[in-house]
Amino acid sequence: MAGRKRLRQLMSLVLVPSLFVLSLTFAQSPENASANKKEAIDYSLTVDSNRRGPAIDNTMYGVFFEDINRAADGGLYAELIQNRSFEYDPVDNPAYKPLTAWTETATGGASGTARVMNDDGRLNEKNRRYLQLDLDGSKDKKERFGVTNAGYNSGIAVEAGKKYDFTVWARTDQSSGTPLTVELHDVSDSRDALAAPLQITVRGDRWTKYSGTFTARTTSTTGRLSVTAGGRGTVRLDMVSLFPRDTFKGRTNGMRKDLAQKIAALNPGFLRFPGGCLVNTGSHEAYEAPDWERQRSYQWKDTIGPVEERATNANFWGYNQSYGLGYYEYFQFAEDIGAMPLPVVPALVNGCGENRTTDDPELLQRHIQDTLDLIEFANGPVTSTWGKKRAEMGHPEPFGLSHIAVGNEETLPDEFFKRFTQFREAIEAEYPEITVISNSGPDDSGPVFDRAWELNREADVDMVDEHYYNSPAWFLENNDRYDSYDRQGPKVFLGEYASQDNRFFNALAEAAFMTGLERNADIVKMASYAPLLANVDDVQWRPDMIWFDNSQSWGSTSYEVQKLFMNHVGDEVVPSKASSIPVPTEPITGAIGLSTWATSAAYDDVKVISADGDTLFSDDFSNGARQWTHATEHGSWKIQDGAYVQSDTSAENTMVTAGDPDWQNYDLRVKATKQSGSEGFLIAFGVKDTGNYYWWNLGGWGNTRSAVEKAVDGGKQTMIENETQIETDREYDIRIEVRGRQVTLFLDGRKWGSFTDDQVAEPFRQVVTRDKATGELIVKVVNAQEAPARTRIDLGEVDVAPTARLITLQGDPDAVNTADSQPIKPRRSVINSIDQTFTHTFPAHSVTFMRIKPNTSKKP
């Protein structure tokens, strides 16, 4: 995950006698029905069924799990207690404290104190905090004092008749023992019991694990767990846990069943984990004395062994991660869903906005050795040190690790590659069978991308991990991205990609792009959409594939598209060609704008001059700012010292606009001065509305680089970029020249760069693959436009069965799947009259898969 940059960008088969088409659909809205009444556009699709294209690996599509949007604790990891070991801390989130998610509770007039301790009485070295209850009660059993946990979202979710296993580590200073009452109840004042309470007696002043099981009497999503103690003295508690018995595959310390099932239903070929920005942010030191660093990169040895002995960490995305879901569980989950495990390890070059290197040769060698130990943990025999550890955790057989990635989205390619080379050499020397994957930074293009690819090619790296998140238009425009890649160069792992929203139109654009991935299966060997999971109450990023709360989950429109592609990949590409409709290329038109991001800046002498030399607009702000309109509600704009100043350094996207949306072929001139803050200037042109414009982002991304970004319906894509930074208190002379679709940019009289925005967002895309097991041709067609596509399909010299089950994936382009409504979902039907040549109309806004079976009924 490309961290801070991405956050800012988003401000915005069994043989059957017939062939079938599988797709997604929903009941048409009036708007969509109207769209389908548009006159059909004629296309042709020709399949060269006698030729073979690239083979498609079983790992073509997979999933990437990163603990973002509370994907682990409160998500896939089935633990129901939040902050179970009292490790929450302001370093995780400024609002956190050790008793976050806990409240003191008392019955029968009892009193006492609850304190979180960090001393030598702790449970173990890495689980450093525990709860101490000092009791002032009597022998009256009604007097009890303790704490109550609120769980995640609206509370602890339980289902009537299901079992829930409770465990706690405890010790007491009372020789006669301390009675604990554990209650599972509703949040309501009546404290309605959701299950019969558990009675536990803590004995002895050494840490001991106690357990019990609840059977839920009723269903609730607002449950609470209370642990109260009776009597006097001191009782200590740690690792307070409530786990559903019904986890995925019945695993102890396992996965939440509905989320795991949705992931398994994708039939992923691989599982990439644990990140993402978790891998290459924070300190790379170990969690140990004297510093006990909480903000550190994800280091696998912290995450294995008994859960009560595992460390916790400050999650990059603003919360705490418990490591209950660790490397052993990741490997086990990959095995359970039939996916190849693909771990990512830190390279000691930080990314995701941190952009620094760790120059410590001894620490680097420790991480390299940790990576070698990881391979032994995954694959080593039980007689090896780490293979024995794996066996002790319950898995004597090797996990079959074959690929490992080093680093994630590093923006310092030379520094990264020096370190990557040392990892690669060490791994290849000891484990030559392991494929070591490099990466190309956080973007689809630009100087970091180009330099990274240059280094990867020179070193003959096996595979390069590319990441990008762009607008739907970009995905429609770049279907041919990999057509021109060097067939002799490194292979591509598209480890993270998505279109910037969760509307169905985003999913259509992604589907169109995926046809290009499959067509280039000889280059693109693996691909995974990201992010995978999002808790509705804790979202750092949108789009996301699977959404959930504490009791239910649902797939986004992109989930349905990904599931469709991943379950019907095929084994090889069959060459095919489709016609396209030329789209007229109109000149860039639009008004102008000024904006800032976490920066105070002054703008002056704004002029727009036509290509013929006529002045279209001029403002030196001597008469105020009457010509300007606030496009957002952010920022504090005022005339100050003869300039237009935005002074709020905490405000993001403060755009003001002026001029005519029909302007074309003009020069925009402006003088700009950064006054304070973390970035530079945002000069907009071609402004249609708040979601559709271009802007020159000078000193963006924490003043680390500059780029021109194009926004289409709020989603952005980068047109050109370099490493320009902006100085404070220096006046810059900025000129943007717009001619047709070409834009040339000048900074202080020097040409900064230029680009031509002439790529066509072709809405009709296709690919054909073959399933060797069934002999079927799988024809995959995306029609991402408002008009139906009447298409003449020529299958070549192939004899096919005459009938097909046909389902067209169709929906309103603005449709969004939610907890209450999933308008985009699969449906099946039957059609007839299939032949070597036939005509089919692909509805507007649709994805269609046809599995065309050879005709086996004819006698030779």
Side-chain angles (χ1 to χ4, degrees):
M1 178 59 61
R4 312 293 189 204
K5 178 206 169 184
R6 299 305 183 194
L7 293 176
R8 58 171 298 158
Q9 281 190 327
L10 286 176
M11 301 302 291
S12 77
L13 271 158
V14 175
L15 291 174
V16 292
S18 63
L19 48 119
F20 69 90
V21 177
L22 175 63
S23 59
L24 313 173
T25 188
F26 73 90
Q28 296 179 8
S29 66
E31 294 82 2
N32 193 56
S34 175
N36 278 338
K37 292 179 181 178
K38 291 180 178 291
E39 184 177 350
I41 299 174
D42 288 329
Y43 285 88
S44 65
L45 194 167
T46 303
V47 181
D48 194 343
S49 55
N50 289 327
R51 289 180 55 207
R52 292 184 174 182
I56 304 175
D57 293 350
N58 293 331
T59 55
M60 178 69 195
Y61 296 120
V63 292
F64 164 46
F65 180 91
E66 178 178 8
D67 189 0
I68 182 176
N69 310 315
R70 279 209 178 274
D73 296 327
L76 183 60
Y77 185 51
E79 175 64 74
L80 299 174
I81 301 300
Q82 184 176 181
N83 190 18
R84 67 182 178 186
S85 58
F86 311 101
E87 295 287 342
Y88 277 28
D89 190 273
V91 75
D92 307 324
N93 185 299
Y96 282 2
K97 53 187 178 181
L99 280 174
T100 292
W102 295 93
T103 55
E104 293 185 11
T105 186
T107 62
S111 62
T113 58
R115 296 181 293 163
V116 175
M117 309 297 291
N118 184 355
D119 58 26
D120 291 341
R122 64 178 61 89
L123 176 58
N124 59 63
E125 196 72 353
K126 290 189 175 181
N127 190 339
R128 298 189 61 76
R129 294 177 182 167
Y130 64 91
L131 179 68
Q132 179 170 304
L133 299 179
D134 295 315
L135 309 172
D136 297 328
S138 66
K139 294 183 179 180
D140 187 343
K141 293 183 179 181
K142 293 182 179 180
E143 291 189 15
R144 302 193 308 273
F145 174 79
V147 288
T148 297
N149 190 268
Y152 296 94
N153 298 93
S154 60
I156 297 170
V158 297
E159 186 178 345
K162 293 291 183 69
K163 294 184 181 297
Y164 299 85
D165 293 326
F166 169 82
T167 58
V168 64
W169 287 80
R171 57 191 292 187
T172 179
D173 66 357
Q174 298 296 292
S175 59
S176 60
T178 298
L180 294 184
T181 299
V182 187
E183 298 171 284
L184 186 57
H185 58 88
D186 198 77
V187 70
S188 63
D189 292 337
S190 63
R191 289 173 62 90
D192 292 334
L194 299 176
L198 302 177
Q199 302 295 337
I200 295 171
T201 300
V202 179
R203 299 189 185 278
D205 203 8
R206 298 180 64 180
W207 288 106
T208 304
K209 186 176 182 179
Y210 298 88
S211 62
T213 299
F214 292 104
T215 300
R217 294 170 175 170
T218 187
T219 297
S220 173
T221 61
T222 56
R224 299 290 188 268
L225 183 87
S226 293
V227 182
T228 54
R232 304 183 64 84
T234 296
V235 63
R236 298 175 173 91
L237 307 175
D238 204 352
M239 293 297 292
V240 183
S241 173
L242 186 67
F243 236 89
R245 181 78 59 83
D246 189 19
T247 57
F248 184 65
K249 301 288 186 179
R251 298 294 190 188
T252 303
N253 196 50
M255 309 296 183
R256 179 172 146 176
K257 193 172 183 178
D258 63 324
L259 291 177
Q261 286 175 332
K262 283 183 171 59
I263 297 170
L266 292 167
N267 192 29
F270 64 87
L271 170 65
R272 175 179 180 244
F273 62 89
C277 288
L278 305 186
V279 169
N280 66 338
T281 55
S283 168
H284 302 290
E285 298 288 348
Y287 189 50
E288 60 186 18
D291 299 322
W292 297 104
E293 176 62 61
R294 288 282 295 257
Q295 291 180 308
R296 63 194 188 283
S297 57
Y298 198 106
Q299 300 175 41
W300 78 272
K301 289 180 180 178
D302 285 344
T303 76
I304 63 170
V307 291
E308 66 273 9
E309 297 178 6
R310 300 182 189 181
T312 68
N313 201 15
N315 184 292
F316 174 80
W317 298 105
Y319 50 90
N320 176 272
Q321 57 190 106
S322 72
Y323 287 157
L325 176 54
Y327 256 74
Y328 179 80
E329 288 76 23
Y330 283 125
F331 278 122
Q332 191 174 65
F333 184 52
E335 185 176 74
D336 285 343
I337 63 177
M340 178 188 78
L342 178 49
V344 187
V345 299
L348 276 67
V349 178
N350 289 32
C352 300
E354 295 184 356
N355 304 338
R356 67 175 187 269
T357 62
T358 299
D359 292 315
D360 185 337
E362 185 176 342
L363 183 60
L364 177 62
Q365 288 305 312
R366 194 266 285 175
H367 276 268
I368 291 173
Q369 186 60 51
D370 281 353
T371 302
L372 297 175
D373 292 344
L374 171 60
I375 298 171
E376 183 177 285
F377 176 76
N379 293 351
V382 296
T383 54
S384 65
T385 300
W386 292 100
K388 180 180 178 181
K389 185 69 173 179
R390 180 194 69 240
E392 289 171 348
M393 294 186 70
H395 201 286
E397 302 82 9
F399 281 116
L401 178 66
S402 60
H403 291 65
I404 194 165
V406 177
N408 170 75
E409 297 185 0
E410 284 76 18
T411 55
L412 302 170
D414 289 276
E415 294 300 322
F416 161 73
F417 209 77
K418 290 177 185 177
R419 290 154 179 79
F420 170 82
T421 299
Q422 295 183 62
F423 276 88
R424 182 189 182 196
E425 289 175 349
I427 294 170
E428 290 182 345
E430 194 161 341
Y431 300 103
E433 72 280 8
I434 299 293
T435 298
V436 187
I437 302 172
S438 181
N439 75 83
S440 60
D443 295 300
D444 60 87
S445 60
V448 171
F449 178 90
D450 293 340
R451 179 57 176 160
W453 261 103
E454 179 183 9
L455 292 167
N456 285 313
R457 289 192 188 97
E458 289 176 352
D460 195 24
V461 169
D462 289 327
M463 188 174 291
V464 178
D465 186 5
E466 292 191 353
H467 295 179
Y468 38 81
Y469 299 85
N470 286 313
S471 67
W474 186 94
F475 284 95
L476 292 175
E477 291 169 359
N478 284 274
N479 176 273
D480 60 352
R481 174 181 176 87
Y482 296 106
D483 291 3
S484 59
Y485 270 50
D486 181 2
R487 264 46 198 173
Q488 304 306 312
K491 305 304 182 183
V492 172
F493 168 30
L494 180 50
E496 298 183 33
Y497 74 98
S499 169
Q500 294 165 347
D501 206 341
N502 271 148
R503 299 177 302 135
F504 185 46
F505 187 71
N506 297 87
L508 287 169
E510 291 155 4
F513 188 73
M514 292 170 78
T515 65
L517 299 183
E518 293 191 8
R519 186 174 66 251
N520 288 281
D522 59 326
I523 289 292
V524 184
K525 308 306 289 183
M526 299 187 294
S528 50
Y529 176 104
L532 179 62
L533 296 172
N535 186 316
V536 293
D537 290 341
D538 206 326
V539 180
Q540 287 85 22
W541 180 265
R542 182 186 184 98
D544 300 288
M545 194 194 297
I546 301 171
W547 292 78
F548 65 92
D549 57 24
N550 62 342
S551 64
Q552 57 186 338
S553 59
W554 57 97
S556 67
T557 62
S558 293
Y559 172 83
E560 297 297 349
V561 165
Q562 292 290 325
K563 184 178 177 182
L564 181 63
F565 273 83
M566 292 168 76
N567 280 275
H568 301 274
V569 183
D571 302 295
E572 64 183 13
V573 177
V574 180
S576 64
K577 180 181 290 188
S579 61
S580 61
I581 300 298
V583 178
T585 303
E586 302 293 339
I588 294 174
T589 60
I592 62 172
L594 307 172
S595 187
T596 60
W597 200 292
T599 300
S600 173
Y603 295 104
D604 203 357
D605 296 333
V606 182
K607 294 182 180 180
V608 179
I609 301 173
S610 74
D612 297 329
D614 297 330
T615 298
L616 303 177
F617 179 90
S618 180
D619 199 342
D620 62 4
F621 302 104
S622 58
N623 294 315
R626 293 188 298 271
Q627 298 186 81
W628 297 85
T629 300
H630 290 265
T632 74
E633 297 179 355
H634 310 302
S636 178
W637 289 90
K638 63 179 65 175
I639 303 299
Q640 190 175 57
D641 298 328
Y644 201 18
V645 178
Q646 196 296 112
S647 58
D648 186 350
T649 57
S650 65
E652 299 178 345
N653 192 7
T654 63
M655 188 185 291
V656 292
T657 62
D660 189 335
D662 292 328
W663 279 344
Q664 58 181 273
N665 299 320
Y666 59 80
D667 287 6
L668 166 60
R669 297 176 177 267
V670 60
K671 293 180 179 179
T673 304
K674 174 182 176 178
Q675 296 185 333
S676 61
S678 60
E679 304 209 353
F681 317 118
L682 294 165
I683 314 299
F685 58 98
V687 179
K688 291 294 188 181
D689 52 46
T690 57
N692 295 275
Y693 55 85
Y694 301 80
W695 68 17
W696 191 2
N697 187 348
L698 284 160
W701 299 274
N703 202 17
T704 60
R705 55 200 176 97
S706 300
V708 176
E709 297 177 282
K710 175 184 178 181
V712 179
D713 294 334
K716 293 189 181 71
Q717 63 192 79
T718 298
M719 309 303 295
I720 185 176
E721 67 171 287
N722 67 24
E723 297 177 353
T724 300
Q725 299 175 358
I726 296 300
E727 299 175 16
T728 303
D729 297 326
R730 171 185 167 185
E731 184 178 78
Y732 289 84
D733 185 9
I734 296 167
R735 177 160 68 95
I736 302 172
E737 180 184 280
V738 183
R739 297 291 185 272
R741 303 296 299 181
Q742 183 172 348
V743 177
T744 308
L745 306 108
F746 299 86
L747 187 62
D748 288 336
R750 294 185 176 183
K751 182 178 177 179
W752 180 87
S754 65
F755 67 91
T756 302
D757 185 13
D758 59 357
Q759 288 186 282
V760 175
E762 172 60 57
F764 187 85
R765 297 292 189 182
Q766 102 296 331
V767 71
V768 180
T769 64
R770 178 181 283 110
D771 185 331
K772 289 184 177 180
T774 64
E776 294 167 303
L777 294 175
I778 311 174
V779 179
K780 311 172 187 184
V781 175
V782 181
N783 183 24
Q785 60 191 325
E786 292 184 351
R790 185 171 51 233
T791 306
R792 182 179 183 274
I793 301 174
D794 185 349
L795 299 176
E797 297 179 4
V798 59
D799 195 11
V800 297
T803 62
R805 285 181 288 159
L806 174 76
I807 304 178
T808 303
L809 181 162
Q810 182 190 8
D812 188 309
D814 289 325
V816 176
N817 283 356
T818 68
D820 300 320
S821 174
Q822 289 88 49
I824 306 301
K825 55 186 178 181
R827 190 188 66 182
R828 295 169 176 80
S829 63
V830 177
I831 61 168
N832 299 294
S833 302
I834 303 296
D835 206 341
Q836 292 175 328
T837 301
F838 65 101
T839 298
H840 180 74
T841 298
F842 297 96
H845 302 127
S846 65
V847 179
T848 303
F849 276 35
M850 294 182 175
R851 297 190 66 112
I852 300 180
K853 185 174 288 297
N855 189 357
T856 59
S857 63
K858 288 188 176 182
K859 296 181 180 180

